[in-house]
Amino acid sequence: MSTGFHLFLAVAAVFSHHVQAADILVATATFASPWMGVAKIAEVLSSRGHVVTVLAPASEKSELMRKWPTFHYETFGDPKETPLMKEVMKTVPPKLSFSTPGLRGHLSVASTLASVLLDNCEKMISETQLMTKLKNSPYDVVLAYPGPSCGFFVAQYLDLPLVCTMLPTIPTGLGIRATGVPNPLAYVPTVLSGLSDQMTFLQRVKNILVYIAVATTGQIFERYIDDVARRTIGDNFTMSAALARTDVWLYQSDLMFDFPKPMMPNMVSIAGHVAEDVKPLSEEMEKFVQSSGDDGVVLVTFGSMVAAMPAEKADMLAAAFARLPQKVVWRYTGTPPPSLGSNTKTMEWVPQNDLLAHPKTKAFVSHCGYNGVAEAMYHGVPLVGMPLFFDQYANVARTVARGMAVALDIHAVTSEEVYQAITTVISEPRYEEKADQVSTHLRDQPQSPMERAVWWIEHVIKHGGLPHLRSRAIELPFYQYYLLDVIGMIIAVISAVLLSCLKCCSFACGMCKRGNTNTKKKTN
């Protein structure tokens, strides 16, 4: 009796799980940090019984299947083409990030990246056969990353609910326009400004000017994407219209990573979701880490887009690392620098999150890409930040404001300054204390970031979309959003009343003068 009952419950559970399973289409560029953040969510969704289908370039399918075998794949483009990431690395020379600082360098890298990604986007949505196949498939929701991946166009074309993951700082200002959220520039720093929420008068002037530049760039970028859509799927497909349909925004941010600012009801924080899944180190790596003794380990990486760097810059950093008593794990693929110390282990790839979670790790030298900063905050590791481009300047500004980091200029820093900065964040207790405090806040939640992300996606699926959470702001024209028509009407009414009063007064004065004149004539 008991065995039969348990068997019934097991079958019922499996059947119930099967009924709740959904078909999820992941339509995002398989490119660096944005893809990694989405892929982690998709992995968890797949483990919960959902069918996850990834829309990807055919040239990347084999590599994706090797890393994520549980996903299904729909592909586009020529399988013999150079994979997107390799194309980017070929067209964006690593040296550019180090040799061309400032606005010129940002624009050069941005234009090259945008060109490659937009080309990929056009290939995807222009394949009529693929889009028709997707249209006839029983998908329940689209998970996308807003930007050149054009996943939002796929959701609009299929008329499906849309969930977007979003980094906290997007260089084009896309997040502001896509959500309609208010953006008070008096205390909300613009990406690329490198400012905190406490600004002087001149800093507020800088913040406004940077915002205007960023917003203008964003509008140009948006026109390019709209042009791609017009050439492929129709005139009524625009970036604004597609993103206005977003049911939930999964922001990879929170009040420890970012500064307090206005939020919409469908903007959900999932900061730290990339840092939750920690795996044991390999035997070789664990042995190297343990050999550091009480001094510990320093992790160094400048991200997936910069695998190598100019020889003189690499040698400068190697000389600084060689002076440290700590062991150093450095993600570096170039020729070993002459000054490389015996304490430094260079690797083509490092288990970044797993190393940051290790108790022996004392500091993290980084370009401050989002994933690295999020993982360092989650695991409470002090930072030495040397940003290269885009949102990395905003990321390091936030960690410095939290008191857990020191910022350096990679274009002008010396070996001595690098050595002193690393020594400072390790030897001065306040950096570790602040990092631990940030980590404690990030972990002290009733629901983990990943659980929250998955719950919201399943909530959207369950109800077939959440239109009641969307703000009407993005659908309003500029003059309505800023109430210029209402202000104009009020000014017009007040002006008309004042003019009428002035006319009445003038008329009354005229009548009084005329009456006085008539009285004088009669008296005479």
Side-chain angles (χ1 to χ4, degrees), residues 409-430:
D409 182 359
I410 187 64
H411 306 287
V413 72
T414 65
S415 182
E416 176 65 23
E417 289 171 336
V418 173
Y419 169 75
Q420 290 295 339
I422 298 173
T423 301
T424 297
V425 299
I426 293 175
S427 60
E428 293 190 15
R430 61 190 175 99

Side-chain angles (χ1 to χ4, degrees), residues 59-60 78-88 90:
S59 59
E60 299 182 26
D78 186 352
K80 297 180 180 179
E81 286 182 337
T82 305
L84 178 61
M85 192 62 185
K86 291 182 179 178
E87 181 69 21
V88 169
K90 182 177 71 175

Side-chain angles (χ1 to χ4, degrees), residues 290-479:
Q290 292 298 337
S291 70
S292 65
D294 294 335
D295 292 319
V297 172
V298 174
L299 174 61
V300 183
T301 173
F302 287 91
S304 56
M305 285 187 62
V306 184
M309 62 181 67
E312 63 277 8
K313 193 70 68 177
D315 196 52
M316 179 273 294
L317 292 172
F321 302 153
R323 297 172 58 187
L324 295 170
Q326 288 80 22
K327 296 286 186 178
V328 178
V329 178
W330 185 6
R331 184 182 188 273
Y332 181 74
T333 59
T335 303
S339 301
L340 192 71
S342 59
N343 67 328
T344 304
K345 181 182 182 68
T346 59
M347 304 175 67
E348 291 189 6
W349 177 85
V350 296
Q352 180 175 282
N353 186 51
D354 305 331
L355 277 169
L356 288 172
H358 201 284
K360 288 283 187 182
T361 302
K362 302 297 182 183
F364 183 30
V365 179
S366 171
H367 65 305
C368 288
Y370 167 74
N371 284 345
V373 170
E375 289 165 359
M377 287 182 138
Y378 191 82
H379 299 301
V381 179
L383 275 156
V384 175
M386 289 184 267
L388 299 173
F389 41 70
F390 297 155
D391 62 326
Q392 296 162 12
Y393 290 92
N395 294 343
V396 75
R398 283 155 173 74
T399 56
V400 169
R402 295 291 174 237
M404 61 174 289
V406 171
L408 299 175
D409 182 359
I410 187 64
H411 306 287
V413 72
T414 65
S415 182
E416 176 65 23
E417 289 171 336
V418 173
Y419 169 75
Q420 290 295 339
I422 298 173
T423 301
T424 297
V425 299
I426 293 175
S427 60
E428 293 190 15
R430 61 190 175 99
Y431 289 98
E432 184 179 1
E433 290 170 1
K434 289 293 185 181
D436 286 340
Q437 184 182 43
V438 169
S439 177
T440 300
H441 279 285
L442 284 174
R443 293 168 181 268
D444 188 16
Q445 303 181 46
Q447 190 181 35
S448 76
M450 183 61 77
E451 288 173 346
R452 188 156 52 248
V454 170
W455 185 90
W456 275 100
I457 293 171
E458 292 181 337
H459 188 57
V460 170
I461 294 169
K462 179 180 178 181
H463 297 283
L466 303 173
H468 62 287
L469 296 183
R470 300 177 195 156
S471 170
R472 280 271 297 150
I474 192 174
E475 302 172 21
L476 300 177
F478 177 84
Y479 68 90

Side-chain angles (χ1 to χ4, degrees), residues 95-367:
K95 190 174 180 180
L96 177 64
S97 306
F98 294 90
S99 62
T100 315
L103 182 60
R104 181 184 164 198
H106 288 308
L107 292 177
S108 180
V109 175
S111 62
T112 306
L113 285 175
S115 176
V116 174
L117 293 170
L118 283 173
D119 181 60
N120 204 56
C121 165
E122 185 166 2
K123 290 174 183 174
M124 178 179 71
I125 60 178
S126 63
E127 287 201 10
T128 307
Q129 187 175 355
L130 171 64
M131 298 298 282
T132 302
K133 181 180 179 181
L134 296 177
K135 186 82 170 178
N136 295 328
S137 300
Y139 294 112
D140 297 290
V141 69
V142 174
L143 179 61
Y145 180 85
S149 67
C150 293
F152 42 82
F153 283 142
V154 174
Q156 186 182 12
Y157 183 82
L158 303 181
D159 193 25
L160 289 173
L162 174 62
V163 176
C164 284
T165 64
M166 178 78 93
L167 293 179
T169 48
I170 302 299
T172 60
L174 178 63
I176 298 167
R177 297 194 309 279
T179 60
V181 67
N183 187 55
L185 294 174
Y187 62 89
V188 177
T190 302
V191 65
L192 302 182
S193 69
L195 300 172
S196 70
D197 58 347
Q198 297 182 11
M199 293 177 265
T200 64
F201 172 75
L202 291 179
Q203 287 175 331
R204 279 182 280 124
V205 171
K206 176 185 177 181
N207 196 40
I208 291 173
L209 295 177
V210 173
Y211 175 79
I212 293 171
V214 165
T216 303
T217 304
Q219 294 289 348
I220 296 172
F221 174 76
E222 190 172 323
R223 282 200 293 271
Y224 277 118
I225 291 188
D226 290 348
D227 184 56
V228 169
R230 277 193 296 271
R231 293 198 309 266
T232 53
I233 52 179
D235 292 337
N236 60 326
F237 289 87
T238 65
M239 191 173 186
S240 295
L243 288 173
R245 301 177 65 261
T246 303
D247 293 280
V248 172
W249 295 88
L250 299 177
Y251 266 73
Q252 299 177 46
S253 177
D254 78 340
L255 292 181
M256 290 310 300
F257 184 90
D258 209 345
F259 303 114
K261 59 185 178 183
M263 299 282 283
M264 290 294 179
N266 64 343
M267 295 167 65
V268 180
S269 168
I270 60 168
H273 84 287
V274 296
E276 290 181 38
D277 185 21
V278 178
K279 300 179 180 65
L281 298 176
S282 67
E283 185 177 347
E284 179 188 358
M285 180 60 72
E286 183 66 35
K287 185 177 179 180
F288 180 80
V289 169
Q290 292 298 337
S291 70
S292 65
D294 294 335
D295 292 319
V297 172
V298 174
L299 174 61
V300 183
T301 173
F302 287 91
S304 56
M305 285 187 62
V306 184
M309 62 181 67
E312 63 277 8
K313 193 70 68 177
D315 196 52
M316 179 273 294
L317 292 172
F321 302 153
R323 297 172 58 187
L324 295 170
Q326 288 80 22
K327 296 286 186 178
V328 178
V329 178
W330 185 6
R331 184 182 188 273
Y332 181 74
T333 59
T335 303
S339 301
L340 192 71
S342 59
N343 67 328
T344 304
K345 181 182 182 68
T346 59
M347 304 175 67
E348 291 189 6
W349 177 85
V350 296
Q352 180 175 282
N353 186 51
D354 305 331
L355 277 169
L356 288 172
H358 201 284
K360 288 283 187 182
T361 302
K362 302 297 182 183
F364 183 30
V365 179
S366 171
H367 65 305

Side-chain angles (χ1 to χ4, degrees), residues 23-42:
D23 287 293
I24 299 170
L25 180 63
V26 179
T28 188
T30 51
F31 172 71
S33 299
W35 163 247
M36 294 305 298
V38 175
K40 285 184 179 292
I41 298 174

